[in-house]
Amino acid sequence: MNRPADLRVWRWAAGPASAVLALGALALAVSVRDPLPGEAGLVRRLVVGDSPWQDVWAGVAAASDLLPLVVVSMVGALGLVTLGRWKTALAALGSCAVVWLVNPALKALLARPRPDVTELPGHLSEHSFPSGHAANSAVVVGAAVLIVASWRGTHRIVSLALGAVTLIVVATAQLALGRHYPSDIVAGWLLAAAVLATAAGLMRSTDDFR
């Protein structure tokens, strides 16, 4: 038995499995009790209502819609291809596509209503778990952070900090606009984490990702 190889397999599987298990546990909790304890009150306190901040957060939400993220992803992938890193580009785009396709399916499956704390735009889907903005932005930002951090001479802490700030701002916008519960946001992050961990594990076995 090749124990080092087996150990690598288990380590590779641990990340995605942990994220999937956490997502499943959160989905079960939401199915049993909706909203979760304290969530409704927290959302009511965070909603900005009719104030100047509403336009600011609405702008953040618009910038993190799916279409802008698709454009950013395509531009980034083309840049990677020009550098000869087509495997990384394919892995990044594949990860994004999986999240973009799976998230709506999970929403339909869980069918969790959005918070009833403010009037919501008509173009939004009626379901909220997981948050599409959280999942979609997390997979794009996460893929970018993984790629940038793999470059020699790049400060990983800087890329991680910028990525974390971006995700927090996107999440805050969704909460401030009353479109999601905090657990919706966390679920979106977990979905993106599971997909990215799988892709990263596969790409580490190639020279293209080193």
Side-chain angles (χ1 to χ4, degrees), residues 108-172:
L109 180 64
L110 272 296
R112 185 188 197 186
R114 292 182 183 271
D116 187 17
V117 295
T118 187
E119 185 176 355
L120 299 175
H123 68 271
L124 294 178
S125 65
E126 59 180 320
H127 302 141
S128 68
F129 185 99
S131 165
H133 278 76
N136 298 340
S137 60
V139 73
V140 173
V141 171
V145 168
L146 287 174
I147 293 168
V148 172
S150 70
W151 294 346
R152 293 181 179 179
T154 302
H155 295 289
R156 296 186 178 186
I157 295 179
V158 174
S159 61
L160 285 171
L162 291 175
V165 169
T166 301
L167 297 188
I168 290 173
V169 170
V170 172
T172 301

Side-chain angles (χ1 to χ4, degrees), residues 83-89 150 203 205-210:
L83 294 174
R85 302 184 66 179
W86 64 270
K87 292 180 182 178
T88 301
S150 70
M203 291 305 295
S205 62
T206 71
D207 292 335
D208 189 51
F209 199 67
R210 294 173 185 171

Side-chain angles (χ1 to χ4, degrees), residues 6 15 18 49 63 68 84 91 99-100 107 111 116-117 130 134 142 163 167 171-172 175 180 186 196 200:
D6 291 342
S18 298
V99 171
W100 296 339
K107 275 189 174 182
D116 187 17
V117 295
L167 297 188
T172 301
L175 296 173
H180 285 286
V186 175
L196 285 173

